[in-house]
Amino acid sequence: MGNGKNKGKSGYILGAIITLTILVIGVLSMVEGRIIFSPRIKILLNDEKNVTVEAFSDYKDAGATAKRGKTDCTDQIVTEGTVNTEKLGEYVITYSVTEKKHTYQAQRHVTVVDTTPPELTLSGETEMMVSSRKLYKEPGYTAMDQYDGDLTEQVTVQEEAGEDSYTLTYHVQDSSGNESTAERRLIIGDVVAPTIKLKGDDRVYLYKGTSYSEEGYTATDDLDGDVTDRVAVKGSVDGDKVGSYTLTYTVTDKAGNTASAERIVSVFSDNVGSSKRLYLTFDDGPSSEVTPRILDILKKNNAKATFFILNYSDANKEIVRRAINEGHTIAIHGYSHDYATIYASDETFMKNVYRLQDKLMADFGYEAKLVRFPGGSSNTISCDYNQGIISRMAKRLEQEGFTYFDWNISSGDAAGNTVSADVIYRNVTKGLFGEGNNVVLMHDTNYKTTTADALQDIIYYAKVNGYELLALTPDTRPCHHGIAN
């Protein structure tokens, strides 16, 4: 009987405990806002927890997933934190899911590092031959780092001497300790030719009957010193014969390196009676309206002129023929006047000359030998397209039988299409300097009507003051500007 009572009592107690437990769970569930025994939310990273990325790389976070038991709740994840790959350091990305009052979290640690060495670049050759170490001139170098930027000023150079060479070692290190090196080898040997300097101009102009007098020269070598006495001069000048003469100066140092220079001596005969010579020149024609007006005025005054023409149309072909038949000089300004095209290369420039010369020969049997650079030989516009082209072409024109002319008096009509005839007249008449070759720049496009308006008064002034109006010829001493390119 006692055992039965005890069992009943124990059952009562167990039931009370169960009831109390259920009551506690219910209360806690109400407080927490969830069922105590419901599955916890698990946040799983899609990639490694600790990630290392290179500075300036494109970092794309792999993200995370979240589940409550078998239920996917990834869309509840809130991600906080960013990674700036342009700044070294450690970054934390936090993934959170909040349910009622409870928050579940996971974190990823991202470390931005710099393991890329600077880019060290040497200018010039990595193996160079120089006459001596003291004559070596550093071509330069640059050091650029993706993180630190320009490190050129931090480059150090160490030198190691060999029997007949030197090794230069360039070294640079960035703020992260990444290093770069480069080497340049200097081989000692005399490879530098002497330098010849001509006294006076490298182009000399003489009138027929004048004796040529050599102005002299000097020659120096980096190792041998003054070698002027070794200079050999080849060529001669006949001052009694019109033509172009080339004098070649050559010198060789002890190592066999040779240098040369040239001087061109041109002998001219203007073959005119007056010492006061006026050469009216007209650029950029022919035009259908202004050029005929100019030809009419020249014919009326029995005056000759020179026309530096561009390519002409079939309609203007007879205007060119008239100018030739009336004794004027037709000269080459160029088939085109487009700077970007004609100054693009040496060959395009010469093609621009020969193309117009060939057309004149085909149409009229006329050989044009005079040339004017578009913009004049002193123009600097050509520098934008080809460094040194004017200097090279001035020499080449002479070598190929042409003579180029600039001007020493400007009419000012290039300043615009509305320059008054009075201004053009004053510019020309005030510019005349008396004896010698007065070469006037004018234009005869259809826009230059005021140039034609001023022409008669200019011619009248010239005749009253004893000027002979002539056309340029290959025998006329050229008028040249100082070449600026």
Side-chain angles (χ1 to χ4, degrees), residues 359-372:
K359 183 173 183 177
L360 288 167
M361 179 60 72
D363 286 346
F364 313 109
Y366 186 91
E367 185 178 26
K369 302 296 289 183
L370 307 185
V371 175
R372 174 170 285 164

Side-chain angles (χ1 to χ4, degrees), residues 8 109 113 123 135 137 164 176 199-200 203 206 214-215 217 230 260 285 289 299 310 355 378 396 429 433 435-436 481:
H109 295 264
V113 298
S123 301
L135 294 176
K137 293 183 179 180
D164 59 355
S176 297
K199 295 181 179 179
R203 290 180 177 84
L206 298 177
E214 174 60 50
E215 293 190 64
Y217 45 82
R230 302 182 199 173
S260 62
E289 300 295 333
K299 183 176 182 179
L310 300 172
R355 191 176 180 187
S378 60
R396 184 168 173 180
T429 55
F433 48 84
E435 294 187 359
H481 295 166

Side-chain angles (χ1 to χ4, degrees), residues 120 122 138 141-143 151-159 167-173 179-184:
L120 180 56
L122 302 184
E138 172 61 50
Y141 47 80
T142 58
L151 297 177
T152 302
E153 293 186 358
Q154 297 183 32
V155 175
T156 60
V157 184
Q158 292 184 332
E159 179 179 310
T167 300
L168 304 180
T169 302
Y170 304 77
H171 175 267
V172 67
Q173 177 176 296
E179 298 178 310
S180 293
T181 60
E183 284 188 353
R184 194 194 312 274

Side-chain angles (χ1 to χ4, degrees), residues 445-474:
T445 67
N446 275 336
Y447 299 105
K448 305 300 181 181
T449 56
T450 56
T451 299
D453 294 340
L455 184 58
Q456 180 59 65
D457 288 339
I458 291 172
I459 293 175
Y460 178 77
Y461 178 92
K463 286 189 172 184
V464 168
N465 288 276
Y467 289 91
E468 188 173 1
L469 285 91
L470 305 166
L472 297 172
T473 73

